[in-house]
Structure formats: C-alpha cells, structure tokens
Amino acid sequence: MVRYEGKTVVNLEVNGELHQLAVRPSDLLLDVLREQLGLTGAKPGCKNGDCGACTILMDGWPVKSCLVLAVEAEGHRLLTVEGLGGNAPVQQAFVEANAFQCGYCTPGFLMVCYGLLMQHPTLPEEYVVEEWLQSNLCRCTSYREIRKAVKQMYQKK
Amino acid sequence: MIPFDFIYCRPDTMEDAYQAFVQLQTEGKNPYYYAGGSEIITMARAGSIRPGAVIDLKQIPQCRVLSLDSEELHLGSVCTLNEVKESKLFPLLALACGRIADHTNQCRITLGGNLCGTIRYRETCLPLLLADASVTLFGRQGLRTVPFTSVFDGRMRLDAGEFLVQVHVPRKALQAPHYHIKQTASEKIDYPMVTVAALWQDHFLRVACSGLCAEPFRSAEMEAVLNAQNLSGADRVRKAVELLPQPAYDDVEGSAEYRKFVFQTILEALLEEVTHGPL
Ligand code: FES
Ligand code: FES
C-alpha cells in the first residue's frame, strides 16, 4: 500500500517524459505542473472545477487539473498543451478559425478538443461535440469560432 | 492550493483500505475515503473540511469492476460517471450520469462519490432506487451485500469505516422503458431544481426524484396514486404532489412553491408519455 506523509518524491509522466518531483500529498496537479515543471499552459481560472482553463489529458481523457492531487497522477499518462507541440491539427484549426481572443481559455479548449479527437476519431454527432465543449468557459465568447475549429480539426487530421 | 497537509494512502485491497481507516482514525487523523476527489478537494480548498488523511480507493480491483453477467450489472464504486455512461449498459443510469456536472468532470466523479458525498442531490441514486439495486460494502464484518434501500434513505447510512465496493443492478431493469428529466434554474449544467427519473416495469410506473426535497426519494404512496387506474391523470398528479415525503426545498435556486409547480409539470408530461405507450 502506498502511504505518503509530508514531502514525498513521486514520478509523473508528463508529455512523454518521466519527472521526479517532491510534492506534498495535498498539492494540486495544476500547481505542480505550473510551479515545478514550468508548464504554464494549463491555466488557473476558478480552481474549482468550473471553468476548464486547467484541462489536461490523463490517459487520453480530459481532466481538470485543479481537481486532481499530484500524487494521484502517478502511473498515468499526462498530456498538457505543451505536449501538442505547437503545430498539431487542433492548434492549426484554432488559428485558422480565429477561435480565441485573449487566449486564456485556449489551452483548456485545445485539450478538450484533442481529447475528443482521441476518443472519437471521426466527427461525432453534434450533441457529443456540444457535451464535450460545455465543460469549458470562454469569457471572450469565441464559442462559434471554436465550434468551427472542431470541424476543421476533423478535416485536417 | 489546499492550505494544509494530509496523509495520502492508496491501498491495493479492501482489507488494507479498512485497516488504514481504522488505524488513521485511532491516530486521530480524521480520515476520508477518496475516489474521484472533486468534492473533497473543493471543500478542503475552501476550508469546509479538514481531513488529516485520505484513503484513495481507485487501486482496489473490486471497486473498479464494470461487468454484466446473466443476473446483474456490477458497477464498482470508483467507476467514473463517464465510464458508466460510455458502457451503455444501463441507459437510465447513463442519462443520470450525463447530467451531473460537465463532461470533463464526469471523467473524474465516481459513482460511489456521487452516492456517498455530501452534495444533497445524489442523482445517481434515482435509477438505483427504481431498479431494486443492491450494494456490496466492506467494513468491520468484511463484505456484505444488502438491498440499496436498506442503507440509503436519501443519503448513505454506512457503519463507521465502512465503504461502498459495488452496486448491482438486476438485468430486468436495465433495458426497461424509462424517462429522465432534469430541470435547472437556468443553465443546463447546474444542480437540479427538480430531477425526475421513472422506470416502467411489470406494468407499473416507478418514480424517484431529486432536488425537490432536501434529499432524493422514491415514495410507495406516491407511486400508488400515480398508478391508480380509477383516477384521472390530473387527479393522480395533484394527489402525488400532495404526498411529498418531506417539505419542498426552498432556496435561492427556487422557492418551495415553484419546485412543486415544476414537479407537477414534469409528472403531467410523464403521465402523458405513459398514456401514449411505454415511455
Ligand atoms: S481552474 Fe480548473 S476548472 Fe477552473
Ligand atoms: S479567448 Fe478569452 S477567455 Fe476565451
């Protein structure tokens, strides 16, 4: 049985690389990614599971990293927006569809859209896309363009 | 950030989980069983709970089961709402899971967490109440399997240190005609003003409800009037609304009167569906 008390070294696989990190059991994955690994793509917004700005993929499924303990992520594959590489079809689609304004929500949306593509390799029905996208908020209201980007992402892949 | 430290345990067996709980409690650590973590993390961050230890159940094989045999569907307590939904094995439960929080959170929130947590709606209980589900628990006496209703009266009533291992749903209920409607105050993703789930089984309409009263319920008296063939549809609905087991809930999301009005409207639509065929 794993038992962690106080600062402990854990191994986290992030974007295909294994990292040894000293964390407290109550440290949130979002904070560890940003403060220890410098992966500041995942953004703190509400830190309450509501806005989706902190979304990353865990084993191919989206999770809000503000609601995950870093110690829980051991043994799982984590993917942050940095792991997309900068020129992934989903990123190209967002640029071409002008699917952002201030960009604060964009990493979260990119990860949800990338997760959608992983789990539904062909464009699913409209209600499925809507269901996935409803997990994230965009205060600049780029929703229409984001929907367009999703369609373009499927054409590109 | 969570502004305090706690101990994190991840047992591999049910026995280890229970032993860890007892041990930590003896040490005065105020342990919590932990599954998806959404509720514990949010409440700890906000300072409304202060666990000295969390015991993560996600590594325990029996808690991860999702299987169907000739008799029942078995759902481990740490199955996420999304896993339950994607399995498509119990469509009514899938509908309930699909309306709790948002899709990304459904990939973390677990069936056990929804049932055993403190958020009062516990919407996954509705299909289980309707389907005559049973549950397997692990505690001081080891494993025990009991009817869901014997440990759930709007909230889970478990012995000290006991935890939910699995939920079992009889096959008969899985594909029965069903109905699920969730009314929120405004946004689609929100806690329910009123959620009604119904199942048509053995020519009898079963109905359970969340959001309307302080705790979710299924009421035999209410079902009796809803199924009374000698009454008109309007009379059945009127009498059913009078038979709430607790006062209607009254808060900023909706007054008691408004909740009752919404419930009445949902029942009218439900009976209409029943009249036109099996839901
Ligand atoms: S910061 Fe995680 S959901 Fe808002
Ligand atoms: S682009 Fe500004 S919040 Fe979405």
Side-chain angles (χ1 to χ4, degrees):
Chain A
M1 178 173 76
V2 164
R3 180 182 159 128
Y4 295 144
E5 187 168 359
K7 263 216 157 148
T8 314
V9 176
V10 294
N11 295 304
L12 294 190
E13 188 196 318
V14 187
N15 301 334
E17 279 177 37
L18 209 56
H19 298 271
Q20 283 203 327
L21 301 163
V23 300
R24 298 178 313 144
S26 59
D27 281 341
L28 303 175
L29 182 57
L30 172 65
D31 296 333
V32 170
L33 291 172
R34 291 177 58 85
E35 288 158 23
Q36 293 208 38
L37 292 177
L39 297 172
T40 54
K43 297 282 183 273
C46 62
K47 293 193 110 179
N48 199 48
D50 296 319
C51 72
C54 66
T55 304
I56 64 163
L57 297 191
M58 189 187 256
D59 300 327
W61 288 93
V63 294
K64 296 183 178 176
S65 59
C66 69
L67 290 187
V68 180
L69 300 175
V71 289
E72 272 184 89
E74 265 190 315
H76 297 279
R77 281 174 298 115
L78 306 178
L79 186 72
T80 70
V81 72
E82 290 86 351
L84 294 181
N87 207 25
V90 61
Q91 291 170 304
Q92 290 175 20
F94 265 63
V95 171
E96 287 166 21
N98 294 316
F100 46 81
Q101 292 176 63
C102 78
Y104 198 82
C105 69
T106 309
F109 268 106
L110 286 169
M111 298 317 289
V112 160
C113 294
Y114 188 68
L116 177 70
L117 186 64
M118 294 293 96
Q119 302 303 334
H120 297 271
T122 52
L123 181 62
E125 287 185 66
E126 195 67 11
Y127 80 87
V128 176
V129 176
E130 187 177 312
E131 196 174 70
W132 280 63
L133 292 182
Q134 273 171 346
S135 304
N136 294 50
L137 298 176
C138 172
R139 297 323 294 156
C140 302
T141 65
S142 300
Y143 298 113
R144 212 166 57 130
E145 290 78 9
I146 292 169
R147 287 294 270 267
K148 197 166 144 202
V150 171
K151 292 217 170 79
Q152 287 184 209
M153 167 183 82
Y154 275 97
Q155 284 159 9
K156 281 177 178 298
K157 64 141 193 130
Chain B
M1 94 182 226
I2 297 175
F4 56 86
D5 285 331
F6 50 65
I7 297 168
Y8 172 83
C9 299
R10 192 166 54 227
D12 301 301
T13 66
M14 297 181 289
E15 291 78 6
D16 283 354
Y18 179 71
Q19 286 312 324
F21 189 96
V22 172
Q23 177 67 33
L24 288 160
Q25 189 144 57
T26 314
E27 292 168 21
K29 297 291 187 197
N30 184 26
Y32 278 55
Y33 286 120
Y34 183 99
S38 315
E39 190 176 327
I40 291 180
I41 291 177
T42 4
M43 291 175 76
R45 200 181 48 79
S48 32
I49 58 168
R50 201 181 166 90
V54 300
I55 301 165
D56 187 347
L57 301 175
K58 292 196 291 293
Q59 203 68 29
I60 300 173
Q62 290 88 342
C63 294
R64 298 164 62 110
V65 161
L66 203 168
S67 69
L68 182 65
D69 64 26
S70 58
E71 304 281 309
E72 292 177 315
L73 169 66
H74 308 283
L75 297 166
S77 58
V78 304
C79 288
T80 64
L81 302 182
N82 189 53
E83 286 168 340
V84 174
K85 194 172 76 170
E86 295 275 331
S87 77
K88 301 184 172 67
L89 292 169
F90 185 11
L92 178 56
L93 183 57
L95 287 172
C97 291
R99 288 299 313 273
I100 294 167
D102 58 47
H103 177 267
T104 300
N105 282 320
Q106 288 159 16
C107 296
R108 286 288 293 172
I109 298 172
T110 62
L111 180 60
N114 184 256
L115 290 170
C116 301
T118 59
I119 298 173
R120 69 183 185 87
Y121 306 102
R122 305 181 184 95
E123 289 170 82
T124 55
C125 78
L126 304 181
L128 306 182
L129 289 171
L130 299 175
D132 300 327
S134 57
V135 287
T136 297
L137 310 164
F138 192 95
R140 193 165 55 85
Q141 313 126 313
L143 278 175
R144 63 176 178 131
T145 298
V146 296
F148 179 54
T149 48
S150 71
V151 288
F152 187 88
D153 62 359
R155 64 177 63 201
M156 292 296 283
R157 304 287 178 189
L158 303 181
D159 293 342
E162 200 170 40
F163 62 89
L164 178 65
V165 180
Q166 285 174 13
V167 168
H168 316 281
V169 184
R171 251 192 120 110
K172 186 178 181 182
L174 299 181
Q175 298 302 328
H178 57 270
Y179 179 90
H180 182 272
I181 188 154
K182 173 170 176 169
Q183 287 287 351
T184 56
S186 55
E187 292 295 316
K188 184 175 176 199
I189 297 171
D190 199 353
Y191 293 127
M193 169 107 65
V194 178
T195 296
V196 171
L199 199 74
W200 179 254
Q201 194 170 301
D202 302 325
H203 306 288
F204 191 84
L205 181 65
R206 302 170 169 211
V207 178
C209 182
S210 172
L212 176 58
C213 300
E215 283 172 346
F217 67 87
R218 177 183 172 193
S219 154
E221 292 78 17
M222 192 180 278
E223 285 180 2
V225 299
L226 285 172
N227 284 279
Q229 298 298 325
N230 57 334
L231 295 176
S232 69
D235 280 346
R236 290 189 218 178
V237 170
R238 187 177 46 75
K239 282 180 185 287
V241 177
E242 285 166 7
L243 285 170
L244 295 189
Q246 302 161 0
Y249 203 70
D250 200 315
D251 70 358
V252 67
E253 298 273 319
S255 67
E257 274 314 298
Y258 187 59
R259 279 175 205 267
K260 281 205 277 192
F261 168 74
V262 172
F263 183 52
Q264 179 184 326
T265 314
I266 294 174
L267 288 184
E268 282 164 2
L270 171 61
L271 287 193
E272 186 71 21
E273 292 239 7
V274 175
T275 326
H276 289 103
L279 298 182

